[in-house]
Amino acid sequence: ATDEVGEVTQPIEGGYVDEATTHVVGLVRLGNQGIATCSGTLIAPNVILTAQHCVAESSDGGFVQCGATRFYPSHEASSFYVTTRVSLSQNAADYHQVAEVLVPPGGDEFCNFDQALLILDQPIPVEEAVPATPRVDVPLVAGEIYDAVGFGQTGPNGSSGTRYRRNDLYTDCVGTECSVTTSAQEFEWVGEAGACQGDSGGP
């Protein structure tokens, strides 16, 4: 048997600027190599759900080989900031500081463990953003409608850093139903379209 190979860089393409969904946040990491951006979801006043590959490097540099690709330790929490604004800005007052990064326990494997929680140093006021409730009680099935929201690129040569939304997309497959041509694992799913680099971690 051979391991599937997939790519983790995925932008909201063909969407529209979303000023209303403030619980979808822009995630910025300041580091020696410059600025890295991702998306995330506010699920409690001081908790952001995002992708682990937004907070940690992996051993295969963006190409995932299940069973082999591993996460390195997370970057320092103090290097991460989140904003509920519609666009990433250079105004420090628009951002909330991350105090702690939590990743799934039980190892450093990439596949099935590409999630992370960011604990903020202060809660986000409800007037600024109302947390979303994660769907964890009903299994996802193929053919369900979803909306993609994130701060990624708007196309292969498009810009990033503004929250875009694309509605009425469909899930192609869930978990082991997915084709061997994808890298989706037991607790993952594949969507129709719509996401680009920088949208990782968004809902």
Side-chain angles (χ1 to χ4, degrees), residues 169-185:
L169 299 168
Y170 290 87
T171 56
D172 282 341
C173 60
V174 179
T176 55
E177 298 172 354
C178 293
S179 165
V180 294
T181 60
T182 75
S183 59
Q185 298 296 295

Side-chain angles (χ1 to χ4, degrees), residues 31-32 40 52 60 68 81 87 91 104 106 163 173 177 180 186 197:
N32 295 334
Q52 189 170 175
D60 290 318
Y81 300 84
S87 294
N91 182 358
R163 184 170 51 233
C173 60
E177 298 172 354
V180 294
E186 180 182 1
Q197 186 171 357

Side-chain angles (χ1 to χ4, degrees), residues 31-171:
N32 295 334
Q33 305 300 317
I35 297 175
T37 62
C38 262
S39 302
T41 306
L42 182 72
I43 61 170
N46 68 330
V47 180
I48 306 293
L49 173 64
T50 190
Q52 189 170 175
H53 73 260
C54 290
V55 302
E57 306 296 331
S58 61
S59 59
D60 290 318
F63 291 92
V64 178
Q65 185 173 3
C66 291
T69 304
R70 303 285 185 219
F71 281 116
Y72 296 126
S74 301
H75 297 289
E76 290 292 325
S78 60
S79 67
F80 293 104
Y81 300 84
V82 301
T83 183
T84 61
R85 305 281 184 174
V86 69
S87 294
L88 304 180
S89 75
Q90 296 184 9
N91 182 358
D94 290 342
Y95 292 87
H96 300 273
Q97 173 76 59
V98 173
E100 188 176 3
V101 176
L102 302 175
V103 297
D108 57 1
E109 188 169 346
F110 192 108
C111 293
N112 274 329
F113 294 95
D114 192 16
Q115 308 93 31
L117 294 176
L118 307 179
I119 311 301
L120 304 179
D121 64 349
Q122 297 289 330
I124 293 177
V126 69
E127 304 81 37
E128 184 177 338
V130 176
T133 302
R135 175 179 161 179
V136 295
D137 54 345
V138 179
L140 187 68
V141 297
E144 286 196 50
I145 297 176
Y146 71 94
D147 302 333
V149 186
F151 285 77
Q153 293 173 313
T154 56
N157 299 310
S159 61
S160 63
T162 297
R163 184 170 51 233
Y164 271 78
R165 182 185 194 102
R166 186 170 173 188
N167 298 327
D168 300 328
L169 299 168
Y170 290 87
T171 56

